[in-house]
Amino acid sequence: MSAIDTAKEIARIASTASLGKDVIELLEKKVGLLAEQITTLETENANLKQKVANLDQQFAGARPKSELHPDAIRFLKLLFEHDKGLTISQIAGSLGISKGMAEYHHDVLLDTEGH
């Protein structure tokens, strides 16, 4: 039974019964269950927050040190879109850049890969 269901049950019991000793004891048990559920949820929440913090740290360490030039990004996308290798000339033509710029981005990407 969820915490909300338990609370609804407590409200239902309180509104439909005279508050005799047995009803009060039942309500106390329900409140105890709610307290246990709250404690469990708070513990789970704290654990999840710690996991998020750990993932944030890992993600921060995985971020590139510098941004890639938009043409370098387009270069990479083009490579991923073609299963078969492309020549520098083909890449330059597809991107509408000079062969020299394509070679430059190729070298930058190779350098980035090594670091």
Side-chain angles (χ1 to χ4, degrees), residues 18-90:
S18 62
L19 293 178
K21 185 175 181 176
D22 58 334
V23 173
I24 292 172
E25 288 174 1
L26 180 60
L27 288 174
E28 287 173 345
K29 287 180 184 178
K30 296 284 185 175
V31 169
L33 286 174
L34 278 175
E36 288 176 21
Q37 289 173 344
I38 289 170
T39 301
T40 300
L41 290 172
E42 287 173 342
T43 302
E44 288 176 3
N45 189 27
N47 291 339
L48 289 172
K49 284 181 179 181
Q50 184 60 48
K51 285 182 182 180
V52 167
N54 292 342
L55 288 172
D56 282 344
Q57 286 178 346
Q58 290 176 0
F59 182 69
R63 289 187 184 133
K65 305 270 187 279
S66 63
E67 293 292 320
L68 290 175
H69 188 276
D71 284 342
I73 294 170
R74 291 175 46 220
F75 188 108
L76 280 173
K77 286 180 181 178
L78 188 63
L79 290 176
F80 283 115
E81 291 170 358
H82 291 82
D83 292 334
K84 299 174 185 168
L86 297 173
T87 66
I88 295 292
S89 296
Q90 290 171 322

